[in-house]
Structure formats: structure tokens, C-alpha cells
């Protein structure tokens, strides 16, 4: 399985396997100097239907650790930002599931999620999606919700930290 999914970005390497830490759309980094040849330590993760406006991946992985960038509520098919918080929250959790599947993990591997809300008092839609993904109160990840001024029509952003069961060999 390839660790990086999606199109290449400038500064990434193509080729390789999950065993050496690279894949299509592959890895940045390299040896101890950061740009030296050798097995990549950090692997960028791209998702079909999800991309940032800036040149950053959806997530980055080092060994068993996965950290996402901002996960927004854009529709994964149309790329439109729905006007309702409930739809944006549903899309955020759809992207989270896709991200975890892309790296061979599951939502059980998520250690912490941080949510940024345009209106931090309005958590009903967030809590509905949260309870659907994590119904067992004894097995939920840590969560933090913060007030934020978000770009464009975004009403919610999320980022996560996960620890995956199997680390790619490097």
C-alpha cells in the first residue's frame, strides 16, 4: 500500500514503496540533513476530493504518527462549501474517515481531534457527528473545541493526531 495518495506536488518524490516510506505523490525530506538522498522519514498524504489552497498535504506521517492539516467541511464531490454547519460537520467527518482509510488505519487510531468553530456555542451538529463516529464513551479520543475566525464560508475546521498500528519501514 502506498502511504501517499493523489497527485504529485512540487518538492515531493515519486516512486518507492510503503516499505521505504515513499509512494506516488510521495515523500518529502530524506536523510538527516532533510534534503539528502535516502529513505524518506516524513510522508505526505493526499486525499482525492480534498486539497488545500496552499501547497500543503492533507496530512503528514512519521512512523506510526499521523498529523493532519486543517480538515474543512467542503463537499468531497462538488468541492463547494455548504452554508449549514450540520452539512460542513458531516463533510469533515467524511474526510476524517477517508484520511484514516488512506493510511491503512481507522478512526480507532485517532488520539486527539481539535475543532475550530466560527460559533463555539453551536456544538449540536458537531456532537451528532462525534457520537456517530465515537459511540462508546470509554473509547473516544481527546477533543478540544476552540472559537476561531475561519476563512471564507467555513464554519468548522478540524485537525487530528493519530497513532497507527503499523509504521512504514524506513
Amino acid at each position: 500500500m502506498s502511504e501517499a495518495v493523489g497527485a504529485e506536488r512540487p518538492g515531493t518524490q515519486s516512486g518507492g514503496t510503503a516499505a521505504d516510506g515513499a509512494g506516488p505523490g510521495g515523500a518529502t525530506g530524506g536523510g538527516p540533513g532533510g534534503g539528502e538522498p535516502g529513505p524518506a522519514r516524513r510522508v505526505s498524504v493526499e486525499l482525492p476530493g480534498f486539497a488545500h489552497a496552499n501547497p500543503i498535504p492533507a496530512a503528514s506521517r512519521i512512523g506510526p504518527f499521523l498529523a493532519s492539516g486543517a480538515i474543512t467541511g467542503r463537499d468531497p464531490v462538488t468541492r463547494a462549501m455548504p452554508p449549514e454547519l450540520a452539512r460542513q460537520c458531516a463533510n469533515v467527518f467524511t474526510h476524517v474517515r477517508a484520511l484514516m482509510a488512506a493510511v491503512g488505519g481507522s478512526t480507532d487510531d485517532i488520539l486527539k481531534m481539535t475543532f475550530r468553530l466560527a460559533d463555539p456555542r453551536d456544538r449540536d451538529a458537531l456532537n451528532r457527528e462525534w457520537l456517530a463516529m465515537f459511540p462508546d464513551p470509554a473509547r473516544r479520543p481527546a477533543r478540544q473545541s476552540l472559537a476561531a475566525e475561519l476563512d471564507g464560508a467555513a464554519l468548522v475546521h478540524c485537525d487530528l493526531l493519530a497513532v497507527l498500528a503499523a509504521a512504514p519501514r524506513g
Side-chain angles (χ1 to χ4, degrees):
M1 182 193 84
S2 168
E3 289 299 319
V5 179
E8 283 188 50
R9 291 185 185 257
T12 62
Q13 300 170 342
S14 292
T17 65
D20 69 12
T28 61
E36 300 169 10
R41 181 174 150 105
R42 179 176 41 244
V43 179
S44 294
V45 181
E46 304 294 343
L47 290 177
F50 183 88
H52 289 280
N54 294 304
I56 58 172
S60 186
R61 179 176 180 173
I62 295 178
F65 302 105
L66 178 77
S68 76
I71 300 171
T72 67
R74 287 195 182 280
D75 184 284
V77 176
T78 67
R79 302 273 305 128
M81 186 69 77
E84 312 87 18
L85 177 61
R87 190 72 233 143
Q88 287 189 31
C89 285
N91 290 341
V92 164
F93 281 81
T94 295
H95 293 308
V96 167
R97 286 180 184 92
L99 173 61
M100 297 311 296
V103 295
S106 77
T107 58
D108 289 338
D109 297 319
I110 298 171
L111 183 62
K112 182 178 182 187
M113 297 178 80
T114 301
F115 292 89
R116 288 163 184 79
L117 297 163
D119 181 355
R121 294 172 303 272
D122 187 4
R123 296 185 190 185
D124 290 343
L126 173 59
N127 287 335
R128 272 193 303 278
E129 296 297 328
W130 177 263
L131 292 171
M133 184 176 280
F134 306 111
D136 182 353
R139 296 180 38 84
R140 291 182 183 138
R143 178 179 120 177
Q144 183 175 19
S145 297
L146 307 167
E149 206 172 303
L150 303 174
D151 291 340
L155 301 173
V156 60
H157 282 186
C158 166
D159 63 76
L160 65 84
L161 177 63
V163 181
L164 303 168
R169 301 278 180 218

